[in-house]
Amino acid sequence: MKPLLFLLATLVFTSSTSDCTVNDSSDGSEGTCTNNLDCHTASTFQSLVASYLTNESILPLLRGTVDNVVAKSDIDALVASLPANAFVEAGGYSDNYQGKDTRGYSALGLKELSVTSSPSEIERYQKLLQIREAVRLATEQSLNLCPGTLFIDYTTISQKGDGGLHSPHADNCHHFFRETSWSDGRASMATCDTTQSHPYPSRVAASILYLNDKSSGNFEGGQFFFANSSNYGEVEDEGRVPVESGKMIYFTSGVENLHGAFPVLRRDEGDAQPRRLALAMWYVVNPELDEYVPSQTFVEASTASSTPQSKTRQRAGYHPNDPEAPKGLFDIPLPNNVDVDTLIQSMGTYLVSQQNTPQLNSWKVSKYGEYKLHILFQDHSAMFSLDFGVAMMDTYDWGVVFERHTDGKKPASLQYQLQESVILHGVLDELSRLVLKSGHDEDKESFNIGLEKARETLPARRA
């Protein structure tokens, strides 16, 4: 970037000036945002995006890259505070590469990052929120939106490992390619499939901030890319965005900006595992969908339990104003001599066998951290979780906690609630089989009582 343009880019993120310098990712040229007198409101911006269907020349207004949004020292400090084992598995990036059986993706959201156990983690969370706002502002200005137009729908720090990739997609609808015979030579046009519901139809834009590069992350590949929406998703050279720490990519969320990520590959055969880190954020224009920012919670470092289950943990606490706080379904005490690792593995295997019930891809099962299973419904309106090894609140030493989770912005669908009760009957039957076959009589009476109380809360009969 030229010195003068760099100065302008720096000013826009540190003052109230209305000018900003961006790199048009479609051809690498540089352009300047118009001033706030000409900025887009939510409605005029949506009209602009819609006009892409008949005027592809506006695409440079709907995507681009920006450098130096966040100071390198702040990015380096953030990365240094995020060890690879701190990340938890997450859904949505389950593609395999060349037959590798790996998800290749894990993440940390605000909920995980807000829980701190040291002064350095307290500082990290505060700095992250500052970075988050700087990136939101940069995205808003780069798309020439009036101040305060964009609200953050979701924030995550993603970690792609060996084989992690993301296939071309839009962020607010499922797409297909419709053949065309337009005079400008376009052979196809990516089109939203209105027959399929999408979990995030309100998203209007997104941003990706690279947090490391190939050298520091010990990887090759991993580049973000834009796929050609008018040529069956072909990825052209100018659509690839090199992985450079501090580079931010911004784009609108519809079919005009199909995008994905190339596979992350190990750079060398040393001990360091490949990890490509990025701060991903999605935006909406409805303030009611603004992401809940949890207050910082300080917890003492865990200590060994005095119960036979050395992995017993305290029940998670939630702020009373947290809209994403889960709904407790039921707790079931477990005999002390049940092996928690074996139980988690066996229940995970059972739940995977139920993913296509009652129909293909009805559920998606993932392991969250070391002791929790997440079971997400196909419409993404809700999921339920099984948390093993949680200390019970009464006389029992430990047990498994069942909870329902939503995003706090929309309720669980009626279809979800019906199917949840059906699958939970099966889960309780399997849990009973696994525990009772252990042959231990200790505490089984308490387990059976808890099991029957749980069944009484479920409205659907067992299948």
Side-chain angles (χ1 to χ4, degrees):
M1 182 179 286
K2 298 176 182 178
L4 178 58
L5 293 178
F6 172 79
L7 177 60
L8 290 173
T10 302
L11 285 173
V12 73
F13 302 124
T14 58
S15 70
S16 60
T17 181
S18 60
D19 296 325
C20 66
T21 303
V22 300
N23 297 323
D24 166 21
S25 65
S26 63
D27 61 8
S29 62
E30 294 180 337
T32 303
C33 295
T34 55
N35 60 46
N36 284 340
L37 295 177
D38 301 320
C39 65
H40 288 294
T41 64
S43 59
T44 62
F45 181 65
Q46 290 170 337
S47 297
L48 173 68
V49 174
S51 69
Y52 166 79
L53 294 176
T54 56
N55 182 12
E56 271 194 318
S57 66
I58 70 166
L59 192 57
L61 302 177
L62 308 181
R63 65 164 70 159
T65 65
V66 183
D67 296 312
N68 305 304
V69 174
V70 179
K72 183 179 184 302
S73 58
D74 288 339
I75 292 178
D76 291 345
L78 178 62
V79 171
S81 70
L82 298 171
N85 61 5
F87 288 74
V88 294
E89 292 182 14
Y93 290 71
S94 57
D95 297 298
N96 295 328
Y97 175 63
Q98 294 182 347
K100 292 182 180 179
D101 185 19
T102 175
R103 299 184 67 86
Y105 176 84
S106 54
L108 289 171
L110 294 184
K111 184 170 293 184
E112 292 85 9
L113 291 163
S114 67
V115 180
T116 58
S117 59
S118 68
S120 62
E121 290 180 350
I122 294 175
E123 183 178 350
R124 177 187 69 188
Y125 186 59
Q126 295 169 346
K127 178 59 67 174
L128 172 64
L129 295 182
Q130 294 173 7
I131 293 173
R132 176 178 177 268
E133 176 57 20
V135 170
R136 187 204 67 81
L137 178 61
T139 302
E140 189 173 68
Q141 292 176 326
S142 297
L143 290 170
N144 194 31
L145 290 163
C146 298
T149 300
L150 286 185
F151 299 89
I152 300 170
D153 181 42
Y154 189 65
T155 306
T156 185
I157 298 179
S158 67
Q159 176 177 255
K160 281 190 171 70
D162 195 11
L165 58 83
H166 209 172
S167 301
H169 63 283
D171 281 342
N172 59 15
C173 72
H174 299 289
H175 76 280
F176 68 97
F177 288 100
R178 175 172 52 86
E179 292 188 1
T180 65
S181 56
W182 292 5
S183 58
D184 59 7
R186 285 183 283 180
S188 69
M189 174 60 69
T191 306
C192 284
D193 185 353
T194 57
T195 66
Q196 295 190 63
S197 62
H198 192 275
Y200 311 110
S202 299
R203 289 179 174 174
V204 299
S207 63
I208 305 290
L209 175 68
Y210 288 137
L211 298 178
N212 66 347
D213 54 30
K214 297 179 179 181
S215 177
S216 61
N218 190 38
F219 66 89
E220 295 290 347
Q223 304 99 322
F224 177 96
F225 64 80
F226 289 109
N228 194 328
S229 297
S230 59
N231 193 19
Y232 297 103
E234 179 183 350
V235 180
E236 300 166 348
D237 288 343
E238 59 266 29
R240 302 169 185 247
V241 183
V243 183
E244 299 172 2
S245 179
K247 181 180 291 293
M248 188 193 86
I249 309 147
Y250 65 90
F251 50 95
T252 54
S253 296
V255 292
E256 68 281 354
N257 278 317
L258 299 181
H259 60 281
F262 288 110
V264 170
L265 305 173
R266 184 186 293 270
R267 184 181 178 92
D268 58 49
E269 296 303 320
D271 294 334
Q273 292 293 319
R275 56 191 306 236
R276 184 265 223 183
L277 300 174
L279 174 65
M281 296 167 57
W282 292 266
Y283 305 94
V284 292
V285 294
N286 182 353
E288 294 183 358
L289 300 180
D290 198 14
E291 181 178 29
Y292 173 73
V293 178
S295 302
Q296 205 155 30
T297 303
F298 185 82
V299 296
E300 296 289 344
S302 60
T303 57
S305 170
S306 60
T307 72
Q309 292 295 334
S310 62
K311 297 177 182 178
T312 299
R313 295 164 294 111
Q314 294 300 312
R315 186 184 301 260
Y318 299 92
H319 192 278
N321 294 329
D322 185 352
E324 298 178 15
K327 173 188 176 182
L329 297 174
F330 40 77
D331 303 346
I332 299 178
L334 294 171
N336 282 333
N337 38 20
V338 169
D339 182 76
V340 64
D341 294 318
T342 301
L343 187 59
I344 293 172
Q345 183 177 3
S346 298
M347 285 304 305
T349 300
Y350 169 78
L351 286 163
V352 167
S353 74
Q354 301 299 303
Q355 288 184 129
N356 296 323
T357 303
Q359 60 189 27
L360 186 66
N361 298 323
S362 289
W363 302 94
K364 175 177 282 188
V365 181
S366 62
K367 191 175 182 182
Y368 181 88
E370 197 171 353
Y371 307 110
K372 185 179 285 190
L373 297 175
H374 280 178
I375 304 90
L376 176 68
F377 192 54
Q378 61 182 354
D379 68 2
H380 287 235
S381 68
M383 71 176 187
F384 67 92
S385 66
L386 281 65
D387 195 358
F388 296 84
V390 176
M392 297 286 97
M393 297 183 68
D394 45 29
T395 59
Y396 310 114
D397 284 331
W398 75 301
V400 55
V401 172
F402 291 71
E403 294 178 323
R404 178 191 296 168
H405 305 255
T406 69
D407 63 4
K409 300 171 185 177
K410 57 181 182 295
S413 67
L414 292 176
Q415 185 181 15
Y416 168 84
Q417 294 178 59
L418 174 61
Q419 295 303 325
E420 177 196 68
S421 64
V422 172
I423 194 174
L424 281 177
H425 273 298
V427 169
L428 295 179
D429 287 343
E430 181 66 10
L431 183 63
S432 176
R433 186 186 71 82
L434 292 170
V435 171
L436 297 181
K437 79 172 185 177
S438 64
H440 302 291
D441 293 329
E442 182 185 356
D443 296 336
K444 284 185 178 176
E445 182 179 357
S446 299
F447 169 75
N448 285 325
I449 292 173
L451 198 68
E452 289 310 310
K453 285 183 177 179
R455 284 183 174 133
E456 291 172 2
T457 69
L458 299 178
R461 294 181 180 274
R462 277 175 280 179

